[in-house]
Amino acid sequence: MKPIYYICIVLLVAITTSCQEPSQVVTNSNDYVKYLSHNNHQNIDETNKKLNFWNTKIKTDSIQLPAMIAVAGVYSEMFQSTGNIQFLKQAEQVLVKSVKVAAIKKEGYLLALARNYISQHRFKEAKNAAQGAYILNPNASAKMVLFDVSMELGQYNEAKKYLEEIADQSKYNFLIRLAKWNDYKGDLDATIRNMEKAKTIAEQSNKKGLMLWSYTNLADYYGHAGRIKDSYDYYLKTLEIDPSNAYAMKGIAWIIYSYEHNPQEALRIIDAVTESYQSPDYFLLKAEIAEFQKDHLTKKGNLIGYKYAIADKRYGKMYNTYNAMLLAEEYQDFNKALEIAEEEIDNRPTPQSYDLKAHILNLKGEHEKALEIAEKFIIGKTFEPETQYHIAEIYKTNGFQNKVNTIKKELIESAYELGPVLSQKIAKL
């Protein structure tokens, strides 16, 4: 054998090992085990009591509207704590009725409805509601929601305008939106810096909702920055306030799976969460972990579970991206996947939506079309690691290996965020 052959073998083994071996362990089951046995029934009982209280008030015409907005808030709270789509839709029904009957301060009900529509990925309807509120009262609250929905729609110039109009470094609601803007621009340091400022304000206010939002977002951003221990600590801080917080538990499970490469423990956490929290994407996470474990039967079972979960028409377009990706990657139903991708582009013409279409076209074998879309709508317009991976794939199928190598270096740094399965594919680019 020639020496160069030995070198290639050594390099291949090194790359493969780096994708498979666990990183430094940062978690400790003693930190979170008490939350695994914490059931959500107490929280649900408390919110049901609030719901019953306000529902009785709706019968009194004089305070009907305040009661209705309170009921909508409780339904939204129940959706956040259970993941049950029924509650989000019930909140919508109450808010739609509130908008119809409100004679004064209608803008507040319109903004609440806009936020509900954003949660349902009904972004155009959300923008219409927010614009209606802005016409009635062009205050900071309306501008904040218009910023939120403009970002979702990929209308970044409009979003920037609203952000500049509410600029105030002492305000929590401005700082969290400035952090989101920085994240969109790819400036992670500024994103974290502004979220840390927002977190300080939230803690000084001692408002549970603001603290939870700050902690979970900081945990996510720290993870993106490779600060895994900080990310873990903030998920734990979230659980100290809200022991049944499914998002924080899922974040810890991801650290254990993606960073520590301990799929069994990650699954133990996910199984505990899904006893009281319903969300179709948990099936996809379990399917990914099964793929990492090379357990194809379990992966298939979880994909079937996901399919049955999203059969509920009330989800609407909330899972369009996941659905299109599955149809293309798992079942090679490219035409149906492209139909959904076109729906997403119509619903929210962001770089990520165009990435979905380009990725599917590339898998379908239409490499030149995929490259054309990438160059026109995606490259230089988003810094999301998964999108960058798709661009690298498109470059590779079009013969631009030099460009692939440049992106590959950045993708290796995003291995934690992308997860072990994609990291293994990155090594083969």
Side-chain angles (χ1 to χ4, degrees), residues 12-13 17 27 40 65-66 99 133 135 210 243 255 280 330:
L12 181 60
V13 170
T17 302
T27 65
N40 214 10
L65 273 171
V99 169
I135 290 168
L210 301 189
I255 290 173
E330 294 294 330

Side-chain angles (χ1 to χ4, degrees), residues 148-168:
D148 297 338
V149 73
S150 295
M151 290 294 290
E152 296 290 353
L153 287 167
Q155 298 169 345
Y156 301 118
N157 289 333
E158 281 192 44
K160 184 180 180 183
K161 181 193 75 169
Y162 292 122
L163 187 66
E164 289 171 345
E165 290 180 6
I166 63 169
D168 186 341

Side-chain angles (χ1 to χ4, degrees), residues 101-158:
V101 302
I104 58 172
K105 296 184 179 180
K106 182 175 287 198
E107 63 271 21
Y109 303 106
L110 282 166
L111 291 179
L113 181 60
R115 294 187 191 98
N116 180 283
Y117 284 152
I118 289 173
S119 296
Q120 294 187 56
H121 289 203
R122 294 163 62 181
F123 301 116
K124 290 181 179 179
E125 292 168 275
K127 182 113 188 232
N128 287 338
Q131 285 176 328
Y134 182 83
I135 290 168
L136 292 171
N137 187 354
N139 59 13
S141 295
K143 292 173 184 177
M144 285 187 285
V145 177
L146 281 167
F147 167 83
D148 297 338
V149 73
S150 295
M151 290 294 290
E152 296 290 353
L153 287 167
Q155 298 169 345
Y156 301 118
N157 289 333
E158 281 192 44

Side-chain angles (χ1 to χ4, degrees), residues 44-60:
I44 294 171
D45 287 344
E46 289 174 1
T47 51
N48 273 325
K49 286 178 183 177
K50 286 192 282 185
L51 187 63
N52 291 334
F53 171 79
W54 286 111
N55 272 328
T56 60
K57 300 294 183 183
I58 288 177
K59 297 175 183 177
T60 307

Side-chain angles (χ1 to χ4, degrees), residues 68-302:
M68 287 170 68
I69 199 70
V71 166
V74 175
Y75 278 136
S76 298
E77 187 181 325
M78 292 175 78
F79 171 70
Q80 292 296 327
S81 62
T82 67
N84 190 334
I85 187 65
Q86 168 191 337
F87 297 124
L88 189 61
K89 298 299 291 185
Q90 286 175 311
E92 177 199 347
Q93 291 170 6
V94 175
L95 289 168
V96 167
K97 184 176 179 181
S98 300
V99 169
K100 286 181 180 179
V101 302
I104 58 172
K105 296 184 179 180
K106 182 175 287 198
E107 63 271 21
Y109 303 106
L110 282 166
L111 291 179
L113 181 60
R115 294 187 191 98
N116 180 283
Y117 284 152
I118 289 173
S119 296
Q120 294 187 56
H121 289 203
R122 294 163 62 181
F123 301 116
K124 290 181 179 179
E125 292 168 275
K127 182 113 188 232
N128 287 338
Q131 285 176 328
Y134 182 83
I135 290 168
L136 292 171
N137 187 354
N139 59 13
S141 295
K143 292 173 184 177
M144 285 187 285
V145 177
L146 281 167
F147 167 83
D148 297 338
V149 73
S150 295
M151 290 294 290
E152 296 290 353
L153 287 167
Q155 298 169 345
Y156 301 118
N157 289 333
E158 281 192 44
K160 184 180 180 183
K161 181 193 75 169
Y162 292 122
L163 187 66
E164 289 171 345
E165 290 180 6
I166 63 169
D168 186 341
Q169 288 284 339
S170 68
K171 300 294 185 182
Y172 175 88
N173 283 319
F174 167 70
L175 288 169
I176 62 172
R177 287 170 173 83
L178 180 58
K180 185 172 184 177
W181 178 259
N182 294 142
D183 187 44
Y184 152 70
K185 299 293 288 184
D187 189 345
L188 186 55
D189 289 340
T191 299
I192 291 173
R193 186 166 60 250
N194 285 298
M195 270 309 307
E196 287 174 338
K197 290 179 184 177
K199 182 260 303 183
T200 300
I201 294 172
E203 290 175 335
Q204 289 170 347
S205 72
N206 200 33
K207 291 181 179 178
K208 177 181 173 181
L210 301 189
M211 292 167 69
L212 289 172
W213 178 270
S214 304
Y215 291 166
T216 53
N217 276 273
L218 262 180
D220 289 347
Y221 290 137
Y222 284 146
H224 300 337
R227 296 168 57 178
I228 311 302
K229 181 63 167 64
D230 290 332
S231 177
Y232 175 61
D233 288 342
Y234 271 85
Y235 285 132
L236 289 176
K237 285 173 73 72
T238 301
L239 291 167
E240 288 172 10
I241 300 173
D242 179 8
S244 61
N245 192 287
Y247 190 87
M249 290 306 305
K250 186 180 179 183
I252 291 173
W254 183 262
I255 290 173
I256 292 169
Y257 159 61
S258 183
Y259 186 72
E260 299 178 352
H261 292 189
N262 184 351
Q264 292 83 2
E265 179 65 5
L267 287 170
R268 182 169 81 101
I269 293 172
I270 295 165
D271 287 339
V273 170
T274 52
E275 285 183 9
S276 58
Y277 188 86
Q278 306 170 33
S279 185
D281 56 287
Y282 280 85
F283 285 110
L284 296 180
L285 177 53
K286 291 173 74 171
E288 179 182 336
I289 294 174
E291 181 176 350
F292 176 67
Q293 295 175 302
K294 303 190 186 313
D295 185 347
H296 303 297
L297 187 61
T298 299
K299 176 185 175 180
K300 183 178 179 180
N302 279 297

